[in-house]
Amino acid sequence: MILSVRDLPQHVGEEATVRGWLYNLRSKGKIHFLQVRDGTGIVQGVVGKGDVPDPAFAACEGIPQESSVVVTGAVRADARAPGGVELHLRDVQVIQRSEPYPIALQSHGPDFLLRHRHLWLRSRKPWATLRVRHQVIRAIRDFFDSQGFTNVDAPIFTPAACEGTTTLFEVKYFDEGNAYLTQSGQLYIEAAAMSLGKVYCFGPVFRAERSKTRKHLTEFWMVEPEVAYATLPDIMDLAEGLIVAIAARVLENCREELKVLERDPAPLEKIRKPFPRLTHAEAVKRVNARGVAMAADDDFGAPQEEALVQGEERPVMVYRWPSAIKAFYMKRDPADPAVALGVDVIAPEGFGEVIGGGQREDDLAKLLERIEAEKLPKEAFEWYLDLRRYGTVPHGGFGLGLERTVQWMCGTEHIRETVPFPRMLYRICP
RNA sequence: UCCCCGGUAGCUCAAUUGGUAGAGUAGCGGACUGUUAAUCCGUGGGUUGGAGGUUCGAGCCCUCCCCGGGGAGCCA
């Protein structure tokens, strides 16, 4: 019976066939230990001289690492085996003898590993990280789907910028001139929210910023919910609920993966409601009190962010921002136009901003005013302005960066490890 | 775009004051019936990122270039 390594403990005493790759081989003369991985786990196969015909035994000698193998044998419980069970092999088929495998069971530098990303994916930590990533994606979709949201995806090719063109990748688009790779689906799902009420888009976005840090990718995935009739407090509750749901899902389904990643689950267990909520003004006061300079109309730089979350076990929500440093579409407080009804969520443990969002400007006249003040091309936004001409309502949403969230959950040093094939300033291969 | 650090064997690194470039690992050959990154013996492997300069002599010092890493800004 063909079985997954993961399921072997339920089949002790039976015979099983495992199809996978040779993770490591240890030979001790008349006994071979073959560690075989199949995507669900690693199992140790044991074959002693005399257990199988001599040619079969000899065939096990010197099988290179990562050779594709199909092994068959009796499942036995054995405390000496990693994982608690092992296979006493009666048959070993080598599907392909691997050429000498570049990634050894030793340390490698980041440049080497990234150049071999297509092979590095097979290693333990990338394996665990991709599985956590999958669970985070599932948690996000389940969270929204179970609350009556409809998934409406936004286009990747867009005709113009959301917020200026300096950070956009430009591509040729037939006879239409230049198109740009989207940096956010927000404007489009605002339209969809006026149709379906509660919507989210979830897909890749692109930023042509020349960032070179452990928190940035040029291509990353973002989930963006948008809710009709939602106000800033609704959006903050939604963001809080989503993050709590993600952390709970990872803790429930990824214990083994966290262990492989050497990620202490304790900080994730502390991610519970309520999150501390500070207005931008209160946050500035806190940062200054902790000895880091910050003006009332400043955005958070790296040191300010660090001071803000110092000592916090939960994410910190900063809301009511100076309108001057927020995007044109963000709604101003009608009672105080100097304040924008935005919210950022800063993760603890130095993982930084994972969410940015808020309430949108729903008043046509004020939106026009903002577009003119920022000298944005009005024609490009005509369709967007239509949303305010035909049945405008208060509404809002946010964007959550998938990779930063995965990085946080996994405790990963660098964001490039949270995506299968990272795209960065100086790296586009493989 | 700016600041800092690095580039030596396939990989990870060492090389004292400027004085014959070395180890582990991977590879190859051999030994070993419970290995846990197995161990032990033997063995091949180098345009020291590139170009120029200083010097009797440069992996090491100087100049320029290339590549990578970390950080800032920007943001998710």
Side-chain angles (χ1 to χ4, degrees):
Chain A
M1 182 166 42
I2 293 167
L3 288 175
S4 293
V5 170
R6 181 157 298 245
D7 298 330
L8 290 177
Q10 279 89 58
H11 295 269
V12 171
E14 300 172 35
E15 183 172 276
T17 295
V18 169
R19 305 186 294 187
W21 297 263
L22 188 70
Y23 178 71
N24 196 13
L25 170 71
R26 300 193 190 97
S27 287
K28 202 173 179 304
K30 300 207 170 60
I31 183 167
H32 301 307
F33 299 92
L34 290 78
Q35 297 191 330
V36 178
R37 57 167 198 86
D38 76 339
T40 70
I42 297 177
V43 68
Q44 174 166 282
V46 185
V47 56
K49 194 169 173 66
D51 296 352
V52 295
D54 281 354
F57 183 81
C60 293
E61 283 167 16
I63 304 174
Q65 186 190 354
E66 284 305 314
S67 293
S68 36
V69 293
V70 176
V71 297
T72 301
V75 182
R76 298 206 191 147
D78 193 313
R80 292 171 296 184
V85 298
E86 62 184 15
L87 287 174
H88 284 248
L89 302 178
R90 68 164 178 79
D91 186 45
V92 176
Q93 289 179 53
V94 178
I95 306 302
Q96 188 242 346
R97 273 182 79 88
S98 174
E99 294 178 22
Y101 191 62
I103 302 180
L105 299 177
Q106 67 170 49
S107 61
H108 292 281
D111 181 46
F112 178 83
L113 288 171
L114 286 165
R115 278 189 283 113
H116 294 84
R117 182 59 171 171
H118 51 295
L119 300 177
W120 187 23
L121 292 179
R122 305 180 188 192
S123 299
R124 296 279 281 158
K125 286 191 177 182
W127 172 87
T129 305
L130 292 180
R131 287 178 61 94
V132 172
R133 180 186 170 96
H134 172 63
Q135 290 298 327
V136 171
I137 291 169
R138 280 188 59 198
I140 288 168
R141 291 199 179 274
D142 287 349
F143 176 82
F144 289 122
D145 294 352
S146 68
Q147 294 187 34
F149 280 73
T150 302
N151 179 203
V152 178
D153 286 323
I156 306 289
F157 288 128
T158 60
C162 294
E163 325 164 28
T165 55
T166 53
T167 63
L168 290 169
F169 287 103
E170 202 174 88
V171 294
K172 285 193 172 60
Y173 199 81
F174 303 114
D175 302 328
E176 302 294 311
N178 291 330
Y180 303 89
L181 300 185
T182 185
Q183 59 181 351
S184 163
Q186 183 201 314
L187 269 43
Y188 291 96
I189 55 161
E190 283 189 51
M194 301 302 129
S195 166
L196 295 145
K198 297 202 274 188
V199 299
Y200 67 96
C201 64
F202 195 2
V205 294
F206 307 86
R207 302 278 166 91
E209 292 150 3
R210 302 182 78 84
S211 300
K212 204 168 173 288
T213 81
R214 69 181 72 171
K215 289 178 187 165
H216 290 87
L217 295 164
T218 56
E219 174 182 332
F220 64 97
W221 280 59
M222 187 156 69
V223 60
E224 295 174 274
E226 193 70 31
V227 181
Y229 287 100
T231 57
L232 179 61
D234 300 328
I235 294 306
M236 293 172 72
D237 291 345
L238 189 68
E240 185 181 59
L242 174 64
I243 289 175
V244 168
I246 291 169
R249 174 74 68 114
V250 170
L251 287 167
E252 190 186 332
N253 291 355
C254 302
R255 289 287 173 171
E256 190 195 334
E257 288 80 1
L258 295 180
K259 201 176 285 180
V260 170
L261 293 165
E262 299 170 88
R263 169 52 155 156
D264 181 1
L268 302 183
E269 280 154 4
K270 306 237 167 72
I271 304 174
R272 295 174 184 278
K273 296 179 191 178
F275 296 171
R277 299 183 178 199
L278 283 75
T279 64
H280 181 271
E282 290 166 343
V284 169
K285 208 174 287 178
R286 174 191 284 196
V287 168
N288 281 321
R290 290 176 176 178
V292 178
M294 184 174 182
D297 56 353
D298 270 353
D299 203 345
F300 291 84
Q304 288 78 20
E305 202 171 274
E306 193 185 329
L308 176 71
V309 300
Q310 183 187 49
E312 294 286 353
E313 293 179 326
R314 303 176 191 209
V316 176
M317 306 181 100
V318 179
Y319 66 110
R320 293 182 62 82
W321 287 69
S323 48
I325 56 173
K326 284 294 178 183
F328 77 94
Y329 50 71
M330 197 165 281
K331 187 172 180 62
R332 273 52 181 153
D333 183 348
D336 181 2
V339 171
L341 300 178
V343 58
D344 280 8
V345 181
I346 318 293
E349 301 180 87
F351 290 103
E353 185 181 341
V354 291
I355 280 181
Q359 196 173 331
R360 320 304 187 190
E361 183 53 74
D362 50 294
D363 183 277
L364 177 63
K366 286 179 183 154
L367 198 53
L368 273 169
E369 204 176 287
R370 297 287 312 153
I371 287 174
E372 274 163 32
E374 302 206 8
K375 297 192 173 68
L376 295 168
K378 190 186 155 209
E379 323 74 57
F381 293 100
E382 277 303 331
W383 68 266
Y384 184 67
L385 293 167
D386 272 355
L387 305 178
R388 277 68 178 171
R389 294 186 178 108
Y390 305 105
T392 189
V393 298
H395 65 288
F398 60 82
L400 172 132
L402 175 64
E403 286 77 10
R404 284 203 185 158
T405 305
V406 173
Q407 186 184 8
W408 175 21
M409 294 297 121
C410 293
T412 308
E413 184 71 13
H414 200 299
I415 197 166
R416 64 191 166 207
E417 289 173 38
T418 65
V419 62
F421 294 95
R423 294 292 174 251
M424 296 178 295
L425 182 51
Y426 295 118
R427 201 175 287 281
I428 197 167
C429 285

